[in-house]
Amino acid sequence: MSTTKPATGLSKKGLSAGSVGLIGAIVIGISCIAPAYTMTAALGPTVSEVGLQVPAIILVGFIPMLLVAFGYRELNRAMPDSGTSFTWATRAFGPWIGWMAGWGLIAATILVLSNLAGIAVDFFYLMLSQIFNNPDLADLALNPIINVATCLAFMLGATAISYRDMQTTQKVQYVLVGFQVLVLVLFGVVAFIHVANGTAFDPTPVTLEWFNPFAVESFSAFAAGLSLSIFIFWGWDVTLTMNEETKGSRSTPGRAATLTIIIIVLLYLLIATASISFAGIGTGEFGLGNEEIQGNVFFALAGPVLGPLAILVSIAVLSSSAASLQSTFVSPARTLLAMGHYGALPSQFARVSPRFLTPGYATIVSSVVASAFYAIMRFISEDVLWDTITALGMMICFYYGITAFAVVWYFRKQVFASARNFFFQLLFPLVGGLILAVLFFTTIIDSMDPDYGSGSNIGGVGLVFILGMAVILSGIVIMIVQAIRRPAFFRGETLSRGVSDGKEDDALDELPV
């Protein structure tokens, strides 16, 4: 039976301790971000917002992510718990805000799971059409029945791998992540070779102006581009949710998160500058300003850049979405596990597979909910499905922001004890949290416009705004229901509110099981 530790209120949950190393955590972090899929989907829309300043926007988006990651590292050092945002916000602000932080993470990852499965389906049939030189095969993804059936098959496979031990997850990810990174680097290098040889579609020399965020024409374009940039970095916090399974649970997850973000920003800058330099931002056949290719840039540029090796790009994006589909299960499953463990959700969520030492019940629930969501939305309206994904940006800013502010509040008594504390426990997370808060409210205001997202609206109000608010309000409703049924957590009896006294490192050597 689980017990709690008076000094922190934390306790272990029966997961497989020490099964993930630094390299494994970084690989899973990169996998969750899904650089190949993310860049092919986000590069075009970002170009449409900020033009040549895409590298600048990537760097600006990188800054709050890095600042928040520093804060996550401090919380993990003090409280290595698989509940991450849920647990940390509860300790800092109490059960109500903590519960909503957990809900934000779960909602975001469930939405992404359904989106990743859908993308995997699209690229699976695109890959088949290229292999067999039959364009009609790509159209199979447009058939709702075939699409949903294939999606459920991908989801089932990812669930089966996630249900098993973390060693299985790592082995799968080493192959899939390694392949997609190699292909992306190859794509970038070959694109620059074309530019140097004068064989690029629209050779555009790289200049320092591309890296100047002040060159963006308007604040609204800057904010829109930054929102997209925030999305392309999202997912690195999966390295923290594995903290109870990581070797060196207090230090390794935070180091892995920081290194993951740095690796990703370097990869993104290579791909963004190479693509723009090769194709330009015009509206020509392969120009990144061409709306017809903006939704899937790599598919359009793969042939011109890599020639007969173009099939590698489709396989890379497919492996990227499939790998991320599997690794993304890690976060919601472990957050649900923690919420069940501390009594914020039904006790079934606290079940750990006795054979694999993974959150089996929570993994299955995450899969079922994401699968059902995708299937229903796919048959109802693709616009609703994709607008829900657009609303994901709100949820990312929501729970990242809460967690960043939790750093400042939890460590408030010691932030002036040293220069290190001032920067990592106050300044960095505070600035990161404020940037995310501004983006959160900016997105709320902008998404009310009926033209935002797909252009769908209800009563003149943008569908993205309605969906985003529906996700947040549904979380509040579920939280109230849980408070009535499980009052102990909401009274602070199972996970107490606290403040750092600077002694967590000593107190956490032996957490109770």
Side-chain angles (χ1 to χ4, degrees):
M1 181 176 179
S2 296
T3 59
T4 56
K5 192 176 183 70
T8 65
L10 306 182
S11 54
K12 294 181 179 178
K13 299 158 194 70
L15 296 169
S16 179
S19 59
V20 182
L22 177 63
I23 300 300
I26 292 173
V27 168
I28 292 175
I30 293 174
S31 167
C32 199
I33 294 173
Y37 149 66
T38 301
M39 281 303 282
T40 193
L43 183 57
T46 307
V47 167
S48 70
E49 294 289 350
V50 300
L52 293 172
Q53 274 66 52
V54 172
I57 287 296
I58 290 175
L59 286 173
V60 172
F62 161 74
I63 291 172
M65 290 295 100
L66 184 63
L67 296 180
V68 171
F70 284 141
Y72 268 69
R73 184 184 66 181
E74 295 302 302
L75 287 172
N76 183 77
R77 185 193 302 270
M79 301 177 283
D81 189 276
S82 67
T84 57
S85 293
F86 157 73
T87 302
W88 299 335
T90 299
R91 290 284 291 150
F93 299 126
W96 298 91
I97 295 179
W99 203 99
M100 286 304 297
W103 173 255
L105 185 153
I106 292 167
T109 48
I110 292 296
L111 292 178
V112 165
L113 281 171
S114 62
N115 186 37
L116 287 168
I119 293 296
V121 172
D122 290 341
F123 274 91
F124 174 69
Y125 287 110
L126 279 173
M127 181 187 69
L128 291 181
S129 71
Q130 289 177 314
I131 291 175
F132 295 104
N133 196 26
N134 183 354
D136 292 338
L137 290 175
D139 294 335
L140 291 176
L142 301 177
N143 183 308
I145 296 177
I146 294 176
N147 186 293
V148 170
T150 309
C151 174
L152 295 180
F154 274 115
M155 194 72 78
L156 180 62
T159 305
I161 296 172
S162 298
Y163 190 92
R164 294 179 62 85
D165 54 82
M166 287 301 294
Q167 285 86 350
T168 302
T169 292
Q170 290 178 85
K171 290 175 183 177
V172 171
Q173 295 300 337
Y174 283 141
V175 175
L176 295 178
V177 172
F179 176 75
Q180 69 170 299
V181 170
L182 285 174
V183 172
L184 287 177
V185 172
L186 175 66
F187 178 90
V189 171
V190 175
F192 275 127
I193 291 175
H194 278 295
V195 174
N197 292 339
T199 54
F201 172 72
D202 182 11
T204 308
V206 179
T207 68
L208 289 177
E209 189 73 0
W210 292 15
F211 300 86
N212 178 15
F214 298 104
V216 178
E217 294 182 355
S218 68
F219 179 76
S220 60
F222 178 84
L226 185 55
S227 295
L228 286 166
S229 186
I230 293 294
F231 168 72
I232 67 177
F233 283 105
W234 177 77
W236 55 265
D237 52 316
V238 69
T239 63
L240 283 303
T241 63
M242 299 182 293
N243 49 27
E244 294 187 40
E245 300 153 277
T246 305
K247 300 172 184 176
S249 61
R250 286 176 291 179
S251 59
T252 301
R255 188 178 301 122
T258 304
L259 290 173
T260 297
I261 295 173
I262 292 173
I263 291 170
I264 286 296
V265 74
L266 293 175
L267 191 59
Y268 282 167
L269 288 174
L270 169 65
I271 298 304
T273 54
S275 299
I276 295 174
S277 187
F278 175 89
I281 61 171
T283 58
E285 182 181 5
F286 299 116
L288 297 183
N290 182 352
E291 294 183 359
E292 293 183 3
I293 72 169
Q294 285 184 346
N296 189 346
V297 169
F298 288 160
F299 185 69
L301 296 184
V305 173
L306 294 179
L309 297 179
I311 184 65
L312 293 178
V313 176
S314 291
I315 298 174
V317 177
L318 173 62
S319 67
S320 178
S321 54
S324 185
L325 175 63
Q326 190 267 310
S327 62
T328 302
F329 271 110
V330 172
S331 286
R334 280 148 186 79
T335 300
L336 288 168
L337 172 72
M339 295 180 80
H341 178 80
Y342 293 117
L345 285 175
S347 59
Q348 295 96 312
F349 286 97
R351 293 177 186 169
V352 172
S353 167
R355 178 182 177 186
F356 298 115
L357 302 182
T358 57
Y361 182 84
T363 299
I364 292 173
V365 169
S366 299
S367 176
V368 170
V369 172
S371 299
F373 173 81
Y374 180 84
I376 294 171
M377 290 298 102
R378 186 64 179 76
F379 279 109
I380 292 177
S381 169
E382 282 195 77
D383 283 348
V384 175
L385 178 63
W386 304 133
D387 276 343
T388 304
I389 302 305
T390 304
L392 168 68
M394 291 187 200
M395 306 312 301
I396 296 173
C397 292
F398 179 74
Y399 84 86
Y400 272 2
I402 289 177
T403 310
F405 292 133
V407 179
V408 177
W409 192 244
Y410 183 75
F411 293 110
R412 63 188 183 276
K413 291 186 177 180
Q414 62 185 60
V415 293
F416 297 110
S418 68
R420 182 192 180 283
N421 286 6
F422 174 77
F423 284 106
F424 290 104
Q425 297 177 359
L426 175 62
L427 184 61
F428 291 165
L430 180 60
V431 173
L434 288 173
I435 293 173
L436 292 173
V438 169
L439 280 176
F440 175 71
F441 288 108
T442 299
T443 303
I444 287 179
I445 295 171
D446 290 347
S447 64
M448 295 179 71
D449 188 327
D451 294 327
Y452 195 87
S454 70
S456 301
N457 68 89
I458 299 177
V461 179
L463 187 59
V464 173
F465 171 81
I466 294 173
L467 291 170
M469 290 300 100
V471 171
I472 293 175
L473 291 175
S474 61
I476 293 174
V477 171
I478 296 173
M479 178 176 63
I480 293 173
V481 172
Q482 296 305 312
I484 295 172
R485 294 182 175 180
R486 293 166 185 80
F489 168 76
F490 292 90
R491 289 197 295 256
E493 296 174 7
T494 59
L495 185 60
S496 60
R497 187 174 177 177
V499 61
S500 173
D501 58 6
K503 299 178 181 179
E504 292 92 345
D505 286 351
D506 295 329
L508 286 169
D509 284 337
E510 291 293 337
L511 280 178
V513 178

